[in-house]
Amino acid sequence: MKQPTICPKFEKAISLLSQRWTALVIYQLLLGPQRFNEILSSIGISGKVLSDRLKELEYQGLVKREVIPETPVIIEYSLTEKGQSIEPILRTIENWSQLWVKEESDSTEN
Amino acid sequence: MKQPTICPKFEKAISLLSQRWTALVIYQLLLGPQRFNEILSSIGISGKVLSDRLKELEYQGLVKREVIPETPVIIEYSLTEKGQSIEPILRTIENWSQLWVKEESDSTEN
DNA sequence: ATACTTACTTACATAAAGTAACTTAATTAG
DNA sequence: CTAATTAAGTTACTTTATGTAAGTAAGTAT
């Protein structure tokens, strides 16, 4: 019964990053500020969930939502400093994936 | 319409790691080989999902399930080399969490 | 006036996760 | 010997998360 107990900060980080789509949304925003529909069509997420994720990420301070008063108005999402700070994590995953992930063969062989 | 298209290996890695509990199970196994109930009680996962995750991780080649024929039999889960190779990812997250995650205050203040 | 675009929201359907009880085999307690 | 306990799961059922598709409001284009 002497579990070392997992660090709550680490757990919080994990639960954020292991929500479906969160990492990909951030990854996409690393390419630069983007609008709702751009993110939507760049990854396979649904509008409903993207909307949820962006709100959550904004709430967590990783993403900034900016209303640009051109006509018509443009709504732009971008990473905050905290959001940018996720980059090394994603690069490490990217790296790992190149070394260890086999590409799915989508031929009919089974 | 010229989405650069996300690398399928990276996407596969993300979809593996962003499954709930997967990262924590691996993190726990970094401490050494463990039995089902040890993992179960070290993180807040349910038996059903742990069972699913271990099967998936075994299938993906990250975890090895070993039946040790003592009496009574012991079933031990451990990381393969591929499983171990996830460590840098988790360390990067750990690091990030120390720098950027605020501990939840669980006092009654709101 | 009609149709289209952007940035969403809503209602409903399906999939994933949580809960708790149950199983099987073996072990120990009384 | 019988009852209770442990390990490693599984099963049935509930709740939560995600997906799908249609709808909305404001503005633009034709």
Side-chain angles (χ1 to χ4, degrees), chain A residues 35 37 51 55 65 75 77:
Chain A
R35 302 171 68 171
N37 285 317
S51 178
K55 277 176 195 157
R65 179 184 191 271
I75 294 174
Y77 294 93

Coordinates of all heavy atoms in Angstrom, one line a residue, chain A residues 35 37 51 55 65 75 77, chain C residues 6-11 16:
Chain A
R35 N -8.0 30.1 -38.2 CA -9.4 30.3 -38.0 C -10.1 28.9 -37.8 O -9.6 27.9 -38.1 CB -10.0 30.9 -39.2 CG -9.4 32.3 -39.5 CD -9.8 32.8 -40.8 NE -11.2 33.2 -40.8 CZ -11.8 33.9 -41.7 NH1 -11.1 34.3 -42.8 NH2 -13.1 34.2 -41.6
N37 N -12.5 27.2 -39.1 CA -12.7 26.3 -40.2 C -11.4 25.7 -40.8 O -11.3 24.6 -41.4 CB -13.5 26.9 -41.4 CG -15.0 27.0 -41.0 OD1 -15.5 26.0 -40.4 ND2 -15.6 28.1 -41.2
S51 N -15.1 23.0 -31.1 CA -15.6 24.1 -30.3 C -15.3 23.9 -28.8 O -14.8 24.8 -28.1 CB -17.1 24.2 -30.5 OG -17.7 25.2 -29.8
K55 N -12.5 26.0 -26.4 CA -12.9 26.6 -25.2 C -12.1 26.1 -24.0 O -11.6 26.9 -23.2 CB -14.4 26.3 -24.9 CG -15.3 27.3 -25.6 CD -16.8 26.9 -25.4 CE -17.7 27.6 -26.4 NZ -19.0 26.9 -26.6
R65 N -8.2 33.4 -28.3 CA -9.2 33.6 -29.3 C -9.2 35.1 -29.5 O -9.5 35.9 -28.6 CB -10.5 33.1 -28.8 CG -11.7 33.3 -29.7 CD -13.0 32.9 -29.1 NE -14.1 32.8 -30.0 CZ -14.9 33.8 -30.2 NH1 -14.7 35.0 -29.7 NH2 -15.9 33.6 -31.1
I75 N -12.3 35.5 -36.8 CA -11.9 35.0 -35.5 C -10.7 34.1 -35.6 O -10.7 33.1 -36.3 CB -13.1 34.3 -34.9 CG1 -14.2 35.4 -34.6 CG2 -12.7 33.6 -33.6 CD1 -15.5 34.9 -34.1
Y77 N -7.6 31.9 -33.9 CA -7.0 31.2 -32.7 C -5.5 31.1 -32.8 O -5.0 30.8 -33.9 CB -7.7 29.8 -32.6 CG -9.2 29.9 -32.4 CD1 -10.1 29.9 -33.4 CD2 -9.6 30.0 -31.1 CE1 -11.4 29.9 -33.2 CE2 -11.0 30.0 -30.8 CZ -11.9 30.0 -31.9 OH -13.2 30.1 -31.6
Chain C
dT6 P -15.6 30.2 -45.5 OP1 -14.3 30.6 -45.8 OP2 -16.0 28.8 -45.4 O5' -16.0 30.9 -44.1 C5' -15.9 32.3 -43.8 C4' -16.4 32.6 -42.4 O4' -17.8 32.4 -42.3 C3' -15.8 31.7 -41.3 O3' -15.3 32.5 -40.3 C2' -16.9 30.8 -40.9 C1' -18.1 31.7 -41.2 N1 -19.4 31.0 -41.5 C2 -20.6 31.6 -40.9 O2 -20.6 32.5 -40.1 N3 -21.7 30.9 -41.2 C4 -21.9 29.8 -42.0 O4 -23.0 29.4 -42.2 C5 -20.7 29.3 -42.6 C7 -20.7 28.2 -43.5 C6 -19.5 30.0 -42.3
dA7 P -14.3 31.9 -39.2 OP1 -13.4 33.0 -38.8 OP2 -13.7 30.6 -39.7 O5' -15.3 31.6 -38.0 C5' -16.0 32.7 -37.4 C4' -17.0 32.2 -36.4 O4' -18.1 31.6 -37.2 C3' -16.5 31.0 -35.5 O3' -17.1 31.2 -34.2 C2' -17.1 29.8 -36.1 C1' -18.4 30.3 -36.6 N9 -19.1 29.5 -37.6 C8 -18.6 28.6 -38.5 N7 -19.5 28.0 -39.2 C5 -20.7 28.5 -38.7 C6 -22.1 28.2 -39.0 N6 -22.5 27.4 -39.9 N1 -23.0 28.9 -38.3 C2 -22.6 29.8 -37.3 N3 -21.4 30.1 -37.0 C4 -20.5 29.4 -37.7
dC8 P -16.3 30.8 -32.9 OP1 -16.9 31.6 -31.8 OP2 -14.8 31.0 -33.2 O5' -16.5 29.3 -32.5 C5' -17.5 28.4 -33.0 C4' -18.9 28.8 -32.9 O4' -19.4 28.7 -34.2 C3' -19.7 27.9 -32.0 O3' -20.2 28.6 -30.8 C2' -20.9 27.5 -32.8 C1' -20.7 28.1 -34.1 N1 -20.8 27.1 -35.2 C2 -22.0 26.8 -35.8 O2 -23.0 27.4 -35.3 N3 -22.2 25.9 -36.7 C4 -21.1 25.3 -37.2 N4 -21.3 24.4 -38.2 C5 -19.8 25.6 -36.7 C6 -19.7 26.5 -35.7
dT9 P -20.7 27.6 -29.6 OP1 -20.7 28.5 -28.4 OP2 -19.9 26.4 -29.5 O5' -22.2 27.2 -30.0 C5' -23.1 28.2 -30.3 C4' -24.5 27.5 -30.4 O4' -24.5 26.7 -31.7 C3' -24.9 26.5 -29.3 O3' -26.2 26.7 -29.0 C2' -24.7 25.1 -30.0 C1' -24.9 25.4 -31.5 N1 -24.2 24.6 -32.5 C2 -24.8 23.9 -33.4 O2 -26.1 23.9 -33.5 N3 -24.0 23.2 -34.3 C4 -22.7 23.2 -34.3 O4 -22.1 22.5 -35.2 C5 -22.0 23.9 -33.3 C7 -20.5 23.9 -33.2 C6 -22.8 24.6 -32.4
dT10 P -26.9 25.9 -27.8 OP1 -27.8 26.9 -27.2 OP2 -25.9 25.2 -27.0 O5' -27.8 24.8 -28.5 C5' -28.6 25.1 -29.7 C4' -29.3 23.8 -30.2 O4' -28.5 23.2 -31.1 C3' -29.6 22.8 -29.1 O3' -31.0 22.5 -29.2 C2' -28.7 21.6 -29.5 C1' -28.4 21.8 -30.9 N1 -27.1 21.4 -31.4 C2 -26.9 20.7 -32.6 O2 -27.9 20.4 -33.3 N3 -25.7 20.4 -32.9 C4 -24.5 20.7 -32.2 O4 -23.4 20.4 -32.6 C5 -24.7 21.4 -31.0 C7 -23.6 21.8 -30.1 C6 -26.0 21.8 -30.6
dA11 P -31.7 21.4 -28.2 OP1 -33.0 21.9 -27.9 OP2 -30.7 21.1 -27.1 O5' -31.8 20.1 -29.2 C5' -32.4 20.3 -30.5 C4' -32.4 18.9 -31.1 O4' -31.0 18.6 -31.6 C3' -32.7 17.7 -30.2 O3' -33.5 16.8 -30.9 C2' -31.4 17.1 -29.8 C1' -30.6 17.4 -31.0 N9 -29.1 17.5 -30.8 C8 -28.5 18.1 -29.8 N7 -27.2 18.1 -29.9 C5 -26.9 17.4 -31.1 C6 -25.8 17.1 -31.8 N6 -24.5 17.4 -31.4 N1 -25.9 16.4 -33.0 C2 -27.1 16.1 -33.4 N3 -28.3 16.4 -32.9 C4 -28.1 17.1 -31.7
dA16 P -14.9 3.1 -29.6 OP1 -13.8 3.4 -30.5 OP2 -15.4 1.7 -29.4 O5' -14.5 3.7 -28.2 C5' -14.4 5.1 -28.0 C4' -14.5 5.4 -26.5 O4' -15.8 5.3 -26.1 C3' -13.6 4.5 -25.6 O3' -12.8 5.3 -24.8 C2' -14.7 3.7 -24.8 C1' -15.8 4.6 -24.8 N9 -17.2 4.1 -24.7 C8 -17.8 3.1 -25.4 N7 -19.0 2.8 -25.1 C5 -19.3 3.7 -24.0 C6 -20.4 3.9 -23.2 N6 -21.5 3.2 -23.4 N1 -20.3 4.9 -22.3 C2 -19.2 5.6 -22.1 N3 -18.0 5.4 -22.8 C4 -18.1 4.5 -23.8

